[in-house]
Structures are given as C-alpha cells and as structure tokens.
Amino acid sequence: MEGPSEINSVFWNEKKKSWDYETVHVEEYFGFTECQQCRRPMSHNIKTDGKFKMVYVKCGCAQRK
C-alpha cells in the first residue's frame, strides 16, 4: 500500500486560540496511529523536508455532533 502524498494536518494556533490546518507534503510514509474509539487515523508518521514528524489529523470522533 502506497501512502498519501499530502496530509491536511491540524494544529493548535495559540495566537488565535483555535485549530488551524496546514497541508504537509509527504516524502516517506511510515503508518498511522488510530483513534481507540472510532478506529480512524488520528496521527501519521511521515518524513517531510528531510525530517521525521508526527502530524495530527481530525479523527472521526471530531466530526460527531
């Protein structure tokens, strides 16, 4: 299975006191960590700009109302 080429990452913006999004280019994909409740990806382990990172995404629980 080939990983994604881009991920829409979510992060906390301290100045605005809200969640912001950033599209992150993926050089290498190493898998994800799933949410224990909804079983959807919660974070992805990737390599971008020559650095290994863990980027967070909104899981399925965040979209429930």
Side-chain angles (χ1 to χ4, degrees):
M1 179 183 122
E2 182 123 355
S5 62
E6 291 182 338
I7 294 177
N8 191 22
S9 174
V10 64
F11 65 96
W12 181 253
N13 185 325
E14 190 62 36
K15 288 184 179 181
K16 294 195 299 186
K17 303 287 186 200
S18 66
W19 294 103
D20 272 346
Y21 296 92
E22 176 184 20
T23 302
V24 179
H25 174 70
V26 177
E27 292 175 14
E28 291 183 58
Y29 186 75
F30 299 102
F32 64 90
T33 303
E34 68 181 24
C35 174
Q36 292 182 358
Q37 293 181 4
C38 68
R39 302 288 189 214
R40 294 189 62 198
M42 185 172 64
S43 65
H44 297 271
N45 300 312
I46 64 169
K47 182 177 180 182
T48 182
D49 297 329
K51 297 179 183 175
F52 294 98
K53 291 177 79 173
M54 181 169 31
V55 294
Y56 295 94
V57 294
K58 284 193 172 183
C59 68
C61 297
Q63 297 169 3
R64 292 184 200 164
K65 295 195 179 192

Short mmCIF file of all heavy atoms in Angstrom, two decimals:
data_model
loop_
_atom_site.label_atom_id
_atom_site.label_comp_id
_atom_site.label_asym_id
_atom_site.label_seq_id
_atom_site.Cartn_x
_atom_site.Cartn_y
_atom_site.Cartn_z
N MET A 1 0.85 -1.19 0.00
CA MET A 1 0.00 0.00 0.00
C MET A 1 0.88 1.24 0.00
O MET A 1 1.80 1.38 0.79
CB MET A 1 -0.88 0.01 1.25
CG MET A 1 -1.77 1.22 1.32
SD MET A 1 -2.72 1.22 2.86
CE MET A 1 -2.18 2.77 3.52
N GLU A 2 0.62 2.12 -0.90
CA GLU A 2 1.35 3.38 -1.00
C GLU A 2 0.67 4.42 -0.12
O GLU A 2 -0.55 4.51 -0.07
CB GLU A 2 1.35 3.85 -2.45
CG GLU A 2 2.13 5.11 -2.64
CD GLU A 2 3.23 4.94 -3.64
OE1 GLU A 2 3.44 3.82 -4.12
OE2 GLU A 2 3.86 5.94 -3.93
N GLY A 3 1.44 5.20 0.59
CA GLY A 3 0.90 6.23 1.48
C GLY A 3 0.49 7.47 0.72
O GLY A 3 0.73 7.60 -0.48
N PRO A 4 -0.11 8.41 1.41
CA PRO A 4 -0.57 9.66 0.78
C PRO A 4 0.62 10.55 0.40
O PRO A 4 1.70 10.45 0.99
CB PRO A 4 -1.41 10.32 1.87
CG PRO A 4 -0.88 9.78 3.14
CD PRO A 4 -0.42 8.38 2.84
N SER A 5 0.42 11.42 -0.58
CA SER A 5 1.48 12.36 -0.97
C SER A 5 1.36 13.67 -0.20
O SER A 5 2.32 14.42 -0.10
CB SER A 5 1.43 12.62 -2.48
OG SER A 5 0.19 13.21 -2.83
N GLU A 6 0.16 13.95 0.32
CA GLU A 6 -0.08 15.14 1.14
C GLU A 6 -1.06 14.79 2.25
O GLU A 6 -1.93 13.94 2.07
CB GLU A 6 -0.69 16.28 0.31
CG GLU A 6 0.24 16.88 -0.70
CD GLU A 6 -0.40 18.03 -1.44
OE1 GLU A 6 -1.63 18.12 -1.50
OE2 GLU A 6 0.36 18.84 -1.98
N ILE A 7 -0.92 15.49 3.38
CA ILE A 7 -1.82 15.28 4.51
C ILE A 7 -2.29 16.65 4.98
O ILE A 7 -1.49 17.57 5.12
CB ILE A 7 -1.13 14.54 5.67
CG1 ILE A 7 -0.79 13.12 5.25
CG2 ILE A 7 -2.01 14.53 6.91
CD1 ILE A 7 -0.03 12.33 6.28
N ASN A 8 -3.60 16.77 5.23
CA ASN A 8 -4.16 18.01 5.77
C ASN A 8 -4.04 17.94 7.29
O ASN A 8 -4.91 17.41 7.96
CB ASN A 8 -5.61 18.19 5.32
CG ASN A 8 -6.14 19.56 5.63
OD1 ASN A 8 -5.38 20.51 5.80
ND2 ASN A 8 -7.45 19.68 5.71
N SER A 9 -2.96 18.50 7.80
CA SER A 9 -2.63 18.42 9.22
C SER A 9 -3.38 19.48 10.02
O SER A 9 -3.62 20.58 9.54
CB SER A 9 -1.13 18.62 9.39
OG SER A 9 -0.77 18.70 10.74
N VAL A 10 -3.75 19.15 11.25
CA VAL A 10 -4.42 20.09 12.14
C VAL A 10 -3.48 20.39 13.31
O VAL A 10 -2.77 19.51 13.78
CB VAL A 10 -5.79 19.54 12.63
CG1 VAL A 10 -5.62 18.31 13.47
CG2 VAL A 10 -6.56 20.60 13.38
N PHE A 11 -3.44 21.68 13.72
CA PHE A 11 -2.60 22.07 14.85
C PHE A 11 -3.27 23.21 15.59
O PHE A 11 -4.10 23.93 15.04
CB PHE A 11 -1.18 22.45 14.40
CG PHE A 11 -1.15 23.68 13.52
CD1 PHE A 11 -0.89 24.93 14.06
CD2 PHE A 11 -1.36 23.59 12.16
CE1 PHE A 11 -0.86 26.06 13.27
CE2 PHE A 11 -1.33 24.71 11.35
CZ PHE A 11 -1.08 25.95 11.91
N TRP A 12 -2.90 23.37 16.86
CA TRP A 12 -3.48 24.41 17.70
C TRP A 12 -2.71 25.72 17.48
O TRP A 12 -1.50 25.77 17.66
CB TRP A 12 -3.41 24.01 19.17
CG TRP A 12 -4.02 25.04 20.08
CD1 TRP A 12 -3.35 25.88 20.91
CD2 TRP A 12 -5.40 25.33 20.24
NE1 TRP A 12 -4.23 26.69 21.59
CE2 TRP A 12 -5.51 26.36 21.19
CE3 TRP A 12 -6.56 24.83 19.68
CZ2 TRP A 12 -6.72 26.89 21.59
CZ3 TRP A 12 -7.76 25.35 20.08
CH2 TRP A 12 -7.85 26.37 21.01
N ASN A 13 -3.43 26.79 17.09
CA ASN A 13 -2.83 28.10 16.91
C ASN A 13 -3.04 28.89 18.21
O ASN A 13 -4.16 29.27 18.53
CB ASN A 13 -3.49 28.82 15.73
CG ASN A 13 -2.82 30.13 15.42
OD1 ASN A 13 -2.35 30.85 16.29
ND2 ASN A 13 -2.78 30.45 14.13
N GLU A 14 -1.97 29.08 18.94
CA GLU A 14 -2.05 29.73 20.26
C GLU A 14 -2.49 31.18 20.15
O GLU A 14 -3.20 31.68 21.02
CB GLU A 14 -0.69 29.63 20.96
CG GLU A 14 -0.70 30.05 22.40
CD GLU A 14 -1.60 29.18 23.28
OE1 GLU A 14 -1.69 27.96 23.06
OE2 GLU A 14 -2.24 29.73 24.19
N LYS A 15 -2.09 31.89 19.09
CA LYS A 15 -2.48 33.30 18.94
C LYS A 15 -3.98 33.45 18.72
O LYS A 15 -4.62 34.31 19.31
CB LYS A 15 -1.73 33.95 17.77
CG LYS A 15 -0.28 34.20 18.05
CD LYS A 15 0.37 34.91 16.91
CE LYS A 15 1.83 35.19 17.22
NZ LYS A 15 2.48 35.92 16.14
N LYS A 16 -4.54 32.61 17.85
CA LYS A 16 -5.98 32.70 17.55
C LYS A 16 -6.84 31.90 18.51
O LYS A 16 -8.05 32.02 18.51
CB LYS A 16 -6.24 32.20 16.12
CG LYS A 16 -5.65 33.09 15.06
CD LYS A 16 -6.17 32.85 13.67
CE LYS A 16 -5.97 31.52 13.09
NZ LYS A 16 -6.37 31.38 11.70
N LYS A 17 -6.19 31.03 19.30
CA LYS A 17 -6.90 30.15 20.24
C LYS A 17 -7.92 29.27 19.50
O LYS A 17 -9.06 29.11 19.92
CB LYS A 17 -7.60 30.94 21.34
CG LYS A 17 -6.68 31.82 22.15
CD LYS A 17 -5.81 30.99 23.06
CE LYS A 17 -4.99 31.91 23.96
NZ LYS A 17 -3.85 31.29 24.52
N SER A 18 -7.49 28.72 18.39
CA SER A 18 -8.36 27.83 17.61
C SER A 18 -7.49 26.86 16.80
O SER A 18 -6.28 27.01 16.71
CB SER A 18 -9.26 28.64 16.68
OG SER A 18 -8.47 29.30 15.70
N TRP A 19 -8.15 25.89 16.20
CA TRP A 19 -7.46 24.91 15.37
C TRP A 19 -7.23 25.49 13.98
O TRP A 19 -8.10 26.14 13.42
CB TRP A 19 -8.28 23.63 15.26
CG TRP A 19 -8.40 22.91 16.56
CD1 TRP A 19 -9.48 22.89 17.38
CD2 TRP A 19 -7.39 22.13 17.19
NE1 TRP A 19 -9.21 22.14 18.49
CE2 TRP A 19 -7.93 21.65 18.41
CE3 TRP A 19 -6.09 21.76 16.86
CZ2 TRP A 19 -7.22 20.84 19.27
CZ3 TRP A 19 -5.38 20.96 17.73
CH2 TRP A 19 -5.95 20.50 18.91
N ASP A 20 -6.07 25.24 13.41
CA ASP A 20 -5.72 25.65 12.05
C ASP A 20 -5.30 24.41 11.27
O ASP A 20 -4.93 23.39 11.85
CB ASP A 20 -4.57 26.66 12.04
CG ASP A 20 -5.03 28.08 12.17
OD1 ASP A 20 -6.23 28.34 12.00
OD2 ASP A 20 -4.18 28.94 12.45
N TYR A 21 -5.31 24.54 9.97
CA TYR A 21 -4.93 23.44 9.09
C TYR A 21 -3.74 23.83 8.24
O TYR A 21 -3.56 24.99 7.90
CB TYR A 21 -6.10 23.06 8.16
CG TYR A 21 -7.29 22.55 8.92
CD1 TYR A 21 -8.30 23.40 9.33
CD2 TYR A 21 -7.39 21.20 9.24
CE1 TYR A 21 -9.38 22.94 10.04
CE2 TYR A 21 -8.48 20.72 9.94
CZ TYR A 21 -9.47 21.60 10.33
OH TYR A 21 -10.53 21.12 11.04
N GLU A 22 -2.92 22.84 7.91
CA GLU A 22 -1.77 23.05 7.05
C GLU A 22 -1.59 21.79 6.21
O GLU A 22 -1.60 20.68 6.74
CB GLU A 22 -0.53 23.28 7.91
CG GLU A 22 0.74 23.43 7.13
CD GLU A 22 1.96 23.57 8.04
OE1 GLU A 22 1.89 23.20 9.22
OE2 GLU A 22 2.97 24.05 7.54
N THR A 23 -1.43 21.96 4.92
CA THR A 23 -1.17 20.83 4.04
C THR A 23 0.32 20.53 4.09
O THR A 23 1.15 21.40 3.85
CB THR A 23 -1.61 21.14 2.60
OG1 THR A 23 -3.00 21.45 2.61
CG2 THR A 23 -1.37 19.96 1.69
N VAL A 24 0.65 19.28 4.43
CA VAL A 24 2.04 18.86 4.60
C VAL A 24 2.39 17.88 3.47
O VAL A 24 1.69 16.89 3.26
CB VAL A 24 2.25 18.18 5.98
CG1 VAL A 24 3.67 17.71 6.14
CG2 VAL A 24 1.84 19.11 7.10
N HIS A 25 3.47 18.17 2.75
CA HIS A 25 3.95 17.28 1.69
C HIS A 25 4.65 16.08 2.33
O HIS A 25 5.45 16.24 3.25
CB HIS A 25 4.92 18.02 0.77
CG HIS A 25 5.55 17.14 -0.25
ND1 HIS A 25 4.84 16.60 -1.29
CD2 HIS A 25 6.80 16.65 -0.35
CE1 HIS A 25 5.65 15.84 -2.02
NE2 HIS A 25 6.85 15.86 -1.46
N VAL A 26 4.37 14.89 1.87
CA VAL A 26 4.92 13.65 2.44
C VAL A 26 6.00 13.09 1.51
O VAL A 26 5.73 12.79 0.35
CB VAL A 26 3.80 12.59 2.64
CG1 VAL A 26 4.38 11.29 3.16
CG2 VAL A 26 2.72 13.13 3.55
N GLU A 27 7.23 12.98 2.03
CA GLU A 27 8.32 12.34 1.28
C GLU A 27 8.27 10.83 1.46
O GLU A 27 8.36 10.08 0.49
CB GLU A 27 9.68 12.86 1.76
CG GLU A 27 9.93 14.31 1.42
CD GLU A 27 11.23 14.82 2.02
OE1 GLU A 27 12.07 14.00 2.47
OE2 GLU A 27 11.38 16.05 2.06
N GLU A 28 8.14 10.39 2.72
CA GLU A 28 8.02 8.96 3.05
C GLU A 28 6.91 8.80 4.08
O GLU A 28 6.75 9.63 4.96
CB GLU A 28 9.32 8.41 3.63
CG GLU A 28 10.46 8.33 2.64
CD GLU A 28 11.69 7.71 3.27
OE1 GLU A 28 11.59 6.56 3.75
OE2 GLU A 28 12.73 8.37 3.28
N TYR A 29 6.18 7.71 3.95
CA TYR A 29 5.05 7.44 4.85
C TYR A 29 5.35 6.18 5.65
O TYR A 29 5.75 5.16 5.09
CB TYR A 29 3.76 7.25 4.03
CG TYR A 29 2.53 7.12 4.88
CD1 TYR A 29 1.98 8.22 5.50
CD2 TYR A 29 1.92 5.89 5.06
CE1 TYR A 29 0.84 8.11 6.28
CE2 TYR A 29 0.78 5.76 5.83
CZ TYR A 29 0.25 6.88 6.44
OH TYR A 29 -0.87 6.77 7.22
N PHE A 30 5.17 6.25 6.98
CA PHE A 30 5.51 5.13 7.85
C PHE A 30 4.33 4.56 8.62
O PHE A 30 4.51 3.72 9.48
CB PHE A 30 6.59 5.56 8.86
CG PHE A 30 7.86 6.00 8.19
CD1 PHE A 30 8.14 7.35 8.07
CD2 PHE A 30 8.74 5.09 7.66
CE1 PHE A 30 9.31 7.77 7.45
CE2 PHE A 30 9.91 5.50 7.04
CZ PHE A 30 10.18 6.84 6.93
N GLY A 31 3.12 5.01 8.34
CA GLY A 31 1.96 4.47 9.00
C GLY A 31 1.24 5.50 9.85
O GLY A 31 1.57 6.68 9.85
N PHE A 32 0.23 5.03 10.59
CA PHE A 32 -0.59 5.94 11.38
C PHE A 32 -0.94 5.32 12.72
O PHE A 32 -0.79 4.13 12.93
CB PHE A 32 -1.86 6.33 10.63
CG PHE A 32 -2.79 5.18 10.36
CD1 PHE A 32 -3.78 4.84 11.27
CD2 PHE A 32 -2.70 4.43 9.20
CE1 PHE A 32 -4.65 3.79 11.04
CE2 PHE A 32 -3.55 3.38 8.95
CZ PHE A 32 -4.53 3.06 9.87
N THR A 33 -1.42 6.17 13.62
CA THR A 33 -1.96 5.74 14.90
C THR A 33 -3.46 5.96 14.84
O THR A 33 -3.91 7.03 14.46
CB THR A 33 -1.37 6.57 16.06
OG1 THR A 33 0.05 6.45 16.02
CG2 THR A 33 -1.89 6.11 17.40
N GLU A 34 -4.23 4.94 15.20
CA GLU A 34 -5.69 5.08 15.08
C GLU A 34 -6.33 5.47 16.41
O GLU A 34 -5.80 5.18 17.48
CB GLU A 34 -6.31 3.80 14.54
CG GLU A 34 -6.24 2.63 15.45
CD GLU A 34 -6.85 1.38 14.86
OE1 GLU A 34 -6.94 1.25 13.63
OE2 GLU A 34 -7.24 0.51 15.66
N CYS A 35 -7.45 6.13 16.31
CA CYS A 35 -8.25 6.50 17.47
C CYS A 35 -8.82 5.22 18.09
O CYS A 35 -9.26 4.32 17.37
CB CYS A 35 -9.37 7.43 17.04
SG CYS A 35 -10.54 7.85 18.35
N GLN A 36 -8.80 5.12 19.40
CA GLN A 36 -9.29 3.92 20.06
C GLN A 36 -10.81 3.80 20.02
O GLN A 36 -11.34 2.71 20.19
CB GLN A 36 -8.82 3.89 21.51
CG GLN A 36 -7.33 3.69 21.62
CD GLN A 36 -6.87 3.61 23.06
OE1 GLN A 36 -7.66 3.72 23.99
NE2 GLN A 36 -5.58 3.42 23.25
N GLN A 37 -11.51 4.91 19.76
CA GLN A 37 -12.97 4.85 19.72
C GLN A 37 -13.51 4.61 18.32
O GLN A 37 -14.31 3.71 18.11
CB GLN A 37 -13.55 6.12 20.31
CG GLN A 37 -13.28 6.24 21.79
CD GLN A 37 -13.88 7.50 22.38
OE1 GLN A 37 -14.57 8.26 21.71
NE2 GLN A 37 -13.60 7.74 23.64
N CYS A 38 -13.07 5.43 17.36
CA CYS A 38 -13.66 5.32 16.02
C CYS A 38 -12.80 4.53 15.04
O CYS A 38 -13.22 4.25 13.93
CB CYS A 38 -13.95 6.71 15.45
SG CYS A 38 -12.48 7.68 15.06
N ARG A 39 -11.56 4.18 15.45
CA ARG A 39 -10.65 3.36 14.65
C ARG A 39 -10.19 4.04 13.35
O ARG A 39 -9.74 3.39 12.42
CB ARG A 39 -11.24 2.00 14.31
CG ARG A 39 -11.60 1.19 15.51
CD ARG A 39 -10.35 0.70 16.17
NE ARG A 39 -10.67 -0.26 17.21
CZ ARG A 39 -9.97 -0.37 18.31
NH1 ARG A 39 -8.94 0.38 18.51
NH2 ARG A 39 -10.31 -1.24 19.21
N ARG A 40 -10.31 5.37 13.27
CA ARG A 40 -9.82 6.11 12.10
C ARG A 40 -8.48 6.74 12.45
O ARG A 40 -8.17 6.93 13.61
CB ARG A 40 -10.84 7.17 11.69
CG ARG A 40 -12.12 6.50 11.20
CD ARG A 40 -13.07 7.43 10.59
NE ARG A 40 -12.50 8.04 9.41
CZ ARG A 40 -12.97 9.15 8.86
NH1 ARG A 40 -14.01 9.75 9.37
NH2 ARG A 40 -12.41 9.65 7.80
N PRO A 41 -7.67 7.11 11.46
CA PRO A 41 -6.36 7.71 11.75
C PRO A 41 -6.47 8.97 12.59
O PRO A 41 -7.35 9.80 12.38
CB PRO A 41 -5.79 8.04 10.37
CG PRO A 41 -6.47 7.08 9.46
CD PRO A 41 -7.85 6.90 10.01
N MET A 42 -5.56 9.10 13.56
CA MET A 42 -5.51 10.26 14.43
C MET A 42 -4.20 11.01 14.23
O MET A 42 -4.15 12.22 14.35
CB MET A 42 -5.63 9.78 15.88
CG MET A 42 -5.71 10.84 16.92
SD MET A 42 -6.07 10.16 18.55
CE MET A 42 -4.62 9.17 18.84
N SER A 43 -3.14 10.29 13.89
CA SER A 43 -1.85 10.90 13.58
C SER A 43 -1.14 10.02 12.56
O SER A 43 -1.40 8.82 12.45
CB SER A 43 -1.00 11.05 14.84
OG SER A 43 -0.67 9.79 15.36
N HIS A 44 -0.25 10.66 11.80
CA HIS A 44 0.51 9.96 10.77
C HIS A 44 1.99 10.15 11.03
O HIS A 44 2.42 11.26 11.37
CB HIS A 44 0.17 10.50 9.37
CG HIS A 44 -1.24 10.29 8.99
ND1 HIS A 44 -1.67 9.15 8.34
CD2 HIS A 44 -2.34 11.07 9.14
CE1 HIS A 44 -2.97 9.25 8.12
NE2 HIS A 44 -3.40 10.40 8.60
N ASN A 45 2.77 9.10 10.85
CA ASN A 45 4.23 9.16 10.98
C ASN A 45 4.81 9.31 9.58
O ASN A 45 4.65 8.42 8.74
CB ASN A 45 4.76 7.89 11.65
CG ASN A 45 4.18 7.70 13.02
OD1 ASN A 45 4.17 8.62 13.82
ND2 ASN A 45 3.69 6.50 13.30
N ILE A 46 5.47 10.45 9.33
CA ILE A 46 5.94 10.76 7.99
C ILE A 46 7.35 11.35 8.03
O ILE A 46 7.87 11.69 9.09
CB ILE A 46 5.01 11.78 7.28
CG1 ILE A 46 5.01 13.12 8.02
CG2 ILE A 46 3.61 11.22 7.13
CD1 ILE A 46 4.32 14.24 7.25
N LYS A 47 7.93 11.47 6.84
CA LYS A 47 9.17 12.22 6.66
C LYS A 47 8.84 13.35 5.70
O LYS A 47 8.31 13.12 4.62
CB LYS A 47 10.26 11.33 6.09
CG LYS A 47 11.59 12.03 5.93
CD LYS A 47 12.65 11.08 5.42
CE LYS A 47 13.96 11.77 5.26
NZ LYS A 47 14.98 10.85 4.72
N THR A 48 9.13 14.58 6.10
CA THR A 48 8.89 15.75 5.27
C THR A 48 10.04 16.73 5.46
O THR A 48 10.53 16.89 6.58
CB THR A 48 7.54 16.41 5.59
OG1 THR A 48 7.34 17.52 4.72
CG2 THR A 48 7.44 16.89 7.01
N ASP A 49 10.48 17.35 4.40
CA ASP A 49 11.61 18.28 4.43
C ASP A 49 12.84 17.65 5.09
O ASP A 49 13.59 18.30 5.80
CB ASP A 49 11.25 19.58 5.15
CG ASP A 49 10.14 20.36 4.45
OD1 ASP A 49 10.06 20.27 3.21
OD2 ASP A 49 9.38 21.05 5.14
N GLY A 50 13.03 16.36 4.88
CA GLY A 50 14.19 15.66 5.43
C GLY A 50 14.10 15.34 6.91
O GLY A 50 15.06 14.84 7.49
N LYS A 51 12.96 15.61 7.55
CA LYS A 51 12.80 15.36 8.98
C LYS A 51 11.64 14.40 9.23
O LYS A 51 10.63 14.44 8.54
CB LYS A 51 12.51 16.67 9.71
CG LYS A 51 13.62 17.67 9.63
CD LYS A 51 13.25 18.94 10.35
CE LYS A 51 14.34 19.97 10.21
NZ LYS A 51 13.97 21.23 10.81
N PHE A 52 11.80 13.56 10.25
CA PHE A 52 10.72 12.67 10.65
C PHE A 52 9.77 13.44 11.56
O PHE A 52 10.21 14.14 12.47
CB PHE A 52 11.28 11.45 11.39
CG PHE A 52 12.11 10.57 10.50
CD1 PHE A 52 13.48 10.67 10.50
CD2 PHE A 52 11.50 9.65 9.67
CE1 PHE A 52 14.25 9.87 9.67
CE2 PHE A 52 12.26 8.84 8.84
CZ PHE A 52 13.63 8.96 8.84
N LYS A 53 8.48 13.33 11.29
CA LYS A 53 7.48 14.07 12.05
C LYS A 53 6.26 13.20 12.30
O LYS A 53 6.02 12.25 11.56
CB LYS A 53 7.01 15.32 11.28
CG LYS A 53 8.02 16.40 11.14
CD LYS A 53 7.48 17.54 10.31
CE LYS A 53 6.59 18.40 11.15
NZ LYS A 53 6.15 19.61 10.46
N MET A 54 5.51 13.58 13.30
CA MET A 54 4.19 13.01 13.51
C MET A 54 3.21 14.17 13.33
O MET A 54 3.32 15.18 14.02
CB MET A 54 4.04 12.41 14.91
CG MET A 54 2.68 11.81 15.11
SD MET A 54 2.45 10.80 16.59
CE MET A 54 3.52 11.49 17.79
N VAL A 55 2.30 14.05 12.37
CA VAL A 55 1.32 15.10 12.12
C VAL A 55 -0.06 14.58 12.52
O VAL A 55 -0.37 13.42 12.35
CB VAL A 55 1.32 15.58 10.65
CG1 VAL A 55 2.62 16.28 10.31
CG2 VAL A 55 1.07 14.45 9.69
N TYR A 56 -0.85 15.46 13.08
CA TYR A 56 -2.16 15.10 13.59
C TYR A 56 -3.25 15.49 12.60
O TYR A 56 -3.13 16.48 11.89
CB TYR A 56 -2.41 15.79 14.94
CG TYR A 56 -1.48 15.30 16.00
CD1 TYR A 56 -0.29 15.96 16.27
CD2 TYR A 56 -1.77 14.15 16.72
CE1 TYR A 56 0.58 15.50 17.24
CE2 TYR A 56 -0.90 13.68 17.69
CZ TYR A 56 0.28 14.36 17.94
OH TYR A 56 1.14 13.90 18.89
N VAL A 57 -4.31 14.70 12.58
CA VAL A 57 -5.48 14.97 11.76
C VAL A 57 -6.72 14.80 12.65
O VAL A 57 -6.64 14.19 13.71
CB VAL A 57 -5.56 14.02 10.54
CG1 VAL A 57 -4.42 14.27 9.59
CG2 VAL A 57 -5.58 12.58 10.96
N LYS A 58 -7.85 15.34 12.20
CA LYS A 58 -9.08 15.13 12.96
C LYS A 58 -9.61 13.73 12.66
O LYS A 58 -9.79 13.37 11.51
CB LYS A 58 -10.13 16.18 12.58
CG LYS A 58 -9.84 17.52 13.20
CD LYS A 58 -11.04 18.43 13.07
CE LYS A 58 -10.80 19.68 13.85
NZ LYS A 58 -11.97 20.56 13.80
N CYS A 59 -9.85 12.97 13.69
CA CYS A 59 -10.40 11.63 13.51
C CYS A 59 -11.91 11.71 13.33
O CYS A 59 -12.50 12.79 13.34
CB CYS A 59 -10.04 10.74 14.69
SG CYS A 59 -10.84 11.18 16.23
N GLY A 60 -12.56 10.59 13.21
CA GLY A 60 -13.99 10.55 13.01
C GLY A 60 -14.78 11.06 14.21
O GLY A 60 -15.88 11.58 14.08
N CYS A 61 -14.22 10.92 15.41
CA CYS A 61 -14.90 11.41 16.62
C CYS A 61 -15.05 12.93 16.61
O CYS A 61 -16.02 13.46 17.14
CB CYS A 61 -14.11 11.01 17.86
SG CYS A 61 -13.97 9.26 18.12
N ALA A 62 -14.10 13.62 16.01
CA ALA A 62 -14.15 15.08 15.97
C ALA A 62 -15.27 15.58 15.08
O ALA A 62 -15.70 16.72 15.21
CB ALA A 62 -12.81 15.63 15.46
N GLN A 63 -15.79 14.74 14.21
CA GLN A 63 -16.83 15.15 13.30
C GLN A 63 -18.22 14.79 13.78
O GLN A 63 -19.21 15.11 13.16
CB GLN A 63 -16.56 14.56 11.91
CG GLN A 63 -15.25 15.09 11.36
CD GLN A 63 -14.79 14.36 10.12
OE1 GLN A 63 -15.46 13.48 9.62
NE2 GLN A 63 -13.62 14.71 9.65
N ARG A 64 -18.31 14.10 14.92
CA ARG A 64 -19.62 13.77 15.50
C ARG A 64 -20.18 15.00 16.20
O ARG A 64 -19.46 15.80 16.74
CB ARG A 64 -19.49 12.67 16.54
CG ARG A 64 -19.13 11.35 15.97
CD ARG A 64 -19.14 10.33 17.08
NE ARG A 64 -18.36 9.18 16.67
CZ ARG A 64 -17.92 8.26 17.49
NH1 ARG A 64 -18.16 8.37 18.77
NH2 ARG A 64 -17.23 7.25 17.06
N LYS A 65 -21.49 15.12 16.19
CA LYS A 65 -22.12 16.25 16.87
C LYS A 65 -23.17 15.78 17.82
O LYS A 65 -23.76 14.82 17.74
CB LYS A 65 -22.72 17.21 15.86
CG LYS A 65 -21.61 17.83 15.04
CD LYS A 65 -22.10 19.01 14.30
CE LYS A 65 -20.92 19.56 13.55
NZ LYS A 65 -21.07 20.79 13.00
#
